[in-house]
Amino acid sequence: TQSTWGIGKMKAVYEDDGTVASSFLLQELGLKMAACASDSELHQIAVKWGCCTDASQIAESAWQERAFLQCAEILWVKSGSVQLCLVDSGFAEISLSLSEYDAIFLPAATYVHKFQGSGEYLRMVFTEVSSVHPPLTIEELQCKVDKSRTRVSELVTELCRLFYTLGWVSGTGGSISIKHGNRVYMAPSGVQKERMMPADIFVLDNNGDILRRPEGPYKLSECCPLFFNAFRLRNAGACIHTHAMDAFLCTLLYEKEFQVQHMEMIKGIAGHGYHDSCVVPIIENTAREMDLADSLAQAIESYPRSNAVLVRRHGVYVWGKDWIQAKTQCECYHYLFEAAVKMRQHGMDPTSKPTECRNCPQIKEQSTRLLSQVEAIVLDIEGTTTPLSFVSAVLFPFAAAQLKSFLESSWDVAAVRETVLQLYLQARSDLDDAVPDVVAVVDPFSGEKAAVLESLLQNVKWQMSLNRKTTALKRLQGLIWHQGYQQGVLKGQIFDDVALCFQKWIQNGLKIYIYSSGSIDAQKLLFGYSEGGDLTSYISGYFDTTTGAKIDSTSYEKIASQIKVESSRILFATDMVNEARAAATAGFKTVVMNRVGNSPQPDHSFPIASSFEEF
């Protein structure tokens, strides 16, 4: 489908109230429009180029694809050429050209309000898909725009009233802004937030210039440059500023950053799990709010995992990809602020780790019996030594975000060049094996660097989207993580019992080995830069997929042979039942870990443990 439908050849000019803002040649095939914000209906435009010489052809194709395209109407150029100006419900605009036999497929809520050119064209409407309109006059367009403004403005006022009832925006303090299309809707400054009306909302463009000023003595919020920092640096779709008392108190209880952990509501913060530490930077207040812009921008860049910034003796800024995520995260952060304040009042440390009693005689007896039967312990990582969320919510997103800049800056490094070759050979193998949707990689020996790099980026993104565990991919991720660990951006997360049990096992003469689908280099980095310090001195060896698949019993036979220990004297711990079965087939003793946050497993007869202390 994507080879036929696309906008890869369309030259477009993005306009803002008649002023050209940018001009570009769209490179990407598919149904995405890069001209406007991500929530603009203009993203859903599709074009079919010069291949339909008959109106019935294009109508039949569109009818077959109408569910996929969400097509509401078609404009087909019968002869000559046509210049169009299209507008969406957020008043985002785009102008483009169509030539003979070209057709453009428009979704609902995208309006044609201007034609130019001498070409002959035909318009077709799918009334059962959506109600569409004929070309709009300027007056009709303005009516549509006014309705769109009112809809978003009503949402801003509704949220302000809600936050007032929570005590977050009392005394005219606090504010909120929401992006829609290429417009930003922002609450004014110095007004009673519970009494605002939609007509009181400022409307700005993406550069922060005022397009619509409410009538009356209203001032644009001094939060404006701070909101735009979140839009620009985090691609946020909404940003909320509150003066909640618990946020204020937290800035007095913490010096440089707010931190809590092991609280359920941490899971409501994007990219975080229960075992993660929730950290929010604290910046110093200034006499005027707009003067906070630089320090807030620096905090946003220095704390890439945080979706909030606290301001000392002032309040907090919270953002999200849209108003729903911003509101959700704002509620979660305020819950955590309140929990931290109350825990401090009761003499509890919000950063303390929960402890469990492990002094039960039955557990001690079971531990002694199990460990007395083995000489070596082989451990999986994800769900065994480390929370599952660390890999999925921290390591993988970090590798994806750093992928392009890492390859560009390290292109001539020998290890990177070798990994590029491995990725190329893996892609060749996938093509030979007819792997579905495989993305080819340009030959690094004969291709131009730019072409090779772009093909690598697309291939690696494709592999990561499928969570593939190829050796080449794991090696590249390991190199990126290595840089992150060395720069102090990453810290290896481990469960509370890991470091202490490592020490006890070594003291009792046991040897510890790691067997994970992640590369050996990545394993060493995780334990070398762990939250519990450098644990590599406790580990006697590492194994990855170069030894074999973890669900293949011969892999465990190889491990036993290499470490020179009888299979029956080795204990293997994993969170996956299919891996436990493979190890048991090779003669290993096995334990299935039931850590907090682990995925449910099918029924099995293996011993189960929630902590290494139960061994």
Side-chain angles (χ1 to χ4, degrees):
T1 303
Q2 289 191 345
S3 64
T4 304
W5 302 88
I7 54 177
K9 298 178 182 177
M10 182 170 69
K11 189 171 184 179
V13 177
Y14 168 62
E15 293 185 345
D16 187 349
D17 290 348
T19 303
V20 176
S22 62
S23 179
F24 51 87
L25 180 65
L26 296 168
Q27 303 292 334
E28 180 183 356
L29 287 178
L31 299 175
K32 294 183 178 179
M33 171 64 71
C36 303
S38 59
D39 56 354
S40 169
E41 290 90 354
L42 295 179
H43 273 261
Q44 303 167 27
I45 291 173
V47 176
K48 195 165 188 178
W49 300 103
C51 52
C52 294
T53 57
D54 184 83
S56 60
Q57 249 186 319
I58 195 71
E60 182 179 356
S61 297
W63 185 260
Q64 293 171 353
E65 299 286 350
R66 67 191 185 280
F68 173 64
L69 294 172
Q70 291 296 302
C71 177
E73 72 171 294
I74 308 166
L75 190 144
W76 174 66
V77 180
K78 187 175 181 181
S79 63
S81 61
V82 173
Q83 293 274 343
L84 300 177
C85 183
L86 307 175
V87 182
D88 76 348
S89 62
F91 206 21
E93 297 184 12
I94 188 170
S95 63
L96 53 90
S97 299
L98 295 180
S99 302
E100 189 174 37
Y101 302 145
D102 292 342
I104 184 167
F105 297 74
L106 303 177
T110 301
Y111 308 101
V112 180
H113 80 93
K114 190 186 299 181
F115 287 110
Q116 290 179 339
S118 57
E120 224 184 317
Y121 60 86
L122 174 68
R123 300 181 75 224
M124 291 170 274
V125 175
F126 291 93
T127 55
E128 68 175 49
V129 176
S130 176
S131 173
V132 295
H133 303 272
L136 299 176
T137 64
I138 295 299
E139 291 75 18
E140 291 171 329
L141 175 61
Q142 189 61 49
C143 181
K144 291 287 182 184
V145 171
D146 289 341
K147 288 181 180 179
S148 175
R149 286 174 176 164
T150 301
R151 185 170 67 251
V152 184
S153 298
E154 285 176 346
L155 177 60
V156 174
T157 58
E158 178 187 343
L159 291 174
C160 282
R161 284 192 293 271
L162 171 64
F163 296 156
Y164 176 81
T165 62
L166 296 174
W168 294 355
V169 293
S170 58
T172 75
S175 188
I176 182 173
S177 61
I178 297 176
K179 291 188 71 174
H180 179 72
N182 61 347
R183 297 293 182 264
V184 175
Y185 296 77
M186 190 175 301
S189 176
V191 299
Q192 303 292 328
K193 296 298 187 292
E194 76 278 16
R195 296 179 62 84
M196 282 195 317
M197 303 297 290
D200 302 335
I201 304 302
F202 281 83
V203 181
L204 300 85
D205 64 17
N206 285 332
N207 296 318
D209 295 325
I210 298 174
L211 300 177
R212 180 185 177 278
R213 183 185 297 273
E215 296 181 3
Y218 294 107
K219 296 187 300 180
L220 181 65
S221 173
E222 288 209 347
C223 301
C224 181
L226 289 83
F227 288 151
F228 272 83
N229 277 339
F231 297 151
R232 176 175 54 87
L233 298 174
R234 288 297 181 83
N235 197 28
C239 190
I240 300 167
H241 173 46
T242 81
H243 289 181
M245 178 58 69
D246 290 314
F248 171 89
L249 291 174
C250 281
T251 67
L252 303 180
L253 295 173
Y254 294 84
E255 185 177 355
K256 293 184 178 179
E257 57 187 31
F258 167 84
Q259 183 175 1
V260 295
Q261 58 186 6
H262 294 285
M263 296 188 189
E264 180 67 14
M265 291 296 276
I266 292 176
K267 292 159 58 176
I269 309 301
H272 288 69
Y274 172 76
H275 290 284
D276 293 322
S277 294
C278 177
V279 179
V280 180
I282 301 174
I283 61 176
E284 299 302 325
N285 196 21
T286 57
R288 296 199 63 182
E289 195 141 11
M290 64 175 61
D291 295 333
L292 290 168
D294 290 342
S295 56
L296 183 131
Q298 184 177 357
I300 290 176
E301 292 178 326
S302 300
Y303 289 79
R305 295 194 64 207
S306 179
N307 295 301
V309 173
L310 284 160
V311 183
R312 182 102 56 207
R313 297 177 178 270
H314 185 151
V316 66
Y317 285 83
V318 183
W319 55 85
K321 65 182 180 181
D322 51 31
W323 73 267
I324 297 174
Q325 188 185 63
K327 174 178 176 290
T328 300
Q329 295 192 138
C330 196
E331 292 166 347
C332 291
Y333 275 121
H334 282 76
Y335 175 98
L336 296 172
F337 297 153
E338 181 181 1
V341 170
K342 290 185 176 180
M343 288 180 72
R344 288 287 191 96
Q345 289 174 342
H346 292 282
M348 294 182 285
D349 182 4
T351 63
S352 63
K353 299 180 181 180
T355 58
E356 297 181 48
C357 177
R358 296 295 178 185
N359 295 320
C360 173
Q362 293 178 332
I363 291 180
K364 283 188 173 182
E365 180 183 354
Q366 182 185 26
S367 302
T368 304
R369 185 172 62 250
L370 180 59
L371 293 181
S372 66
Q373 300 172 15
V374 301
E375 299 175 27
I377 301 176
V378 179
L379 301 171
D380 175 40
I381 291 182
E382 293 180 61
T384 301
T385 66
T386 299
L388 282 175
S389 61
F390 176 62
V391 176
S392 60
V394 179
L395 289 184
F396 283 173
F398 181 83
Q402 300 295 319
L403 177 61
K404 183 176 181 181
S405 61
F406 175 81
L407 286 174
E408 288 177 340
S409 62
S410 308
W411 188 257
D412 295 324
V413 177
V416 175
R417 297 290 291 174
E418 184 179 344
T419 305
V420 168
L421 177 59
Q422 290 180 348
L423 288 165
Y424 167 68
L425 295 176
Q426 178 66 54
R428 286 275 302 271
S429 175
D430 290 339
L431 288 168
D432 293 340
D433 295 339
V435 175
D437 302 322
V438 60
V439 177
V441 174
V442 176
D443 188 340
F445 295 106
S446 59
E448 294 183 359
K449 176 182 175 180
V452 177
L453 178 60
E454 181 60 28
S455 66
L456 278 171
L457 292 174
Q458 298 306 319
N459 178 273
V460 171
K461 289 178 182 178
W462 168 72
Q463 290 199 61
M464 292 178 68
S465 70
L466 300 176
N467 194 24
R468 299 188 82 195
K469 301 185 184 297
T470 61
T471 300
L473 174 62
K474 293 299 178 184
R475 182 172 184 187
L476 177 61
Q477 290 173 325
L479 291 171
I480 297 174
W481 294 331
H482 183 273
Q483 187 179 78
Y485 282 116
Q486 285 193 324
Q487 293 174 348
V489 180
L490 292 175
K491 281 284 186 184
Q493 294 181 15
I494 57 173
F495 288 108
D496 304 340
D497 56 308
V498 173
L500 182 60
C501 285
F502 275 20
Q503 185 178 1
K504 289 180 179 179
W505 294 344
I506 295 300
Q507 290 173 351
N508 288 315
L510 296 172
K511 290 187 176 181
I512 303 170
Y513 298 89
I514 305 297
Y515 181 28
S516 172
S517 57
S519 69
I520 290 176
D521 288 340
Q523 297 173 29
K524 291 179 178 179
L525 289 169
L526 190 150
F527 292 106
Y529 294 88
S530 82
E531 294 173 337
D534 185 355
L535 303 180
T536 55
S537 61
Y538 297 118
I539 301 171
S540 297
Y542 304 84
F543 300 92
D544 60 11
T545 52
T546 58
T547 299
K550 295 179 70 179
I551 58 174
D552 186 349
S553 61
T554 59
S555 302
Y556 300 89
E557 293 172 359
K558 291 178 183 178
I559 291 175
S561 175
Q562 289 188 41
I563 68 177
K564 297 182 175 15
V565 178
E566 291 183 11
S567 296
S568 61
R569 302 286 293 173
I570 303 174
L571 173 66
F572 176 60
T574 177
D575 65 318
M576 302 298 293
V577 170
N578 55 356
E579 295 176 2
R581 289 198 181 101
T585 301
F588 284 37
K589 290 179 171 57
T590 56
V591 174
V592 174
M593 299 303 299
N594 185 28
R595 299 280 198 181
V596 175
N598 280 9
S599 303
Q601 295 295 300
D603 293 338
H604 61 86
S605 58
F606 298 111
I608 300 174
S610 60
S611 167
F612 286 165
E613 294 180 0
E614 297 176 15
F615 287 7

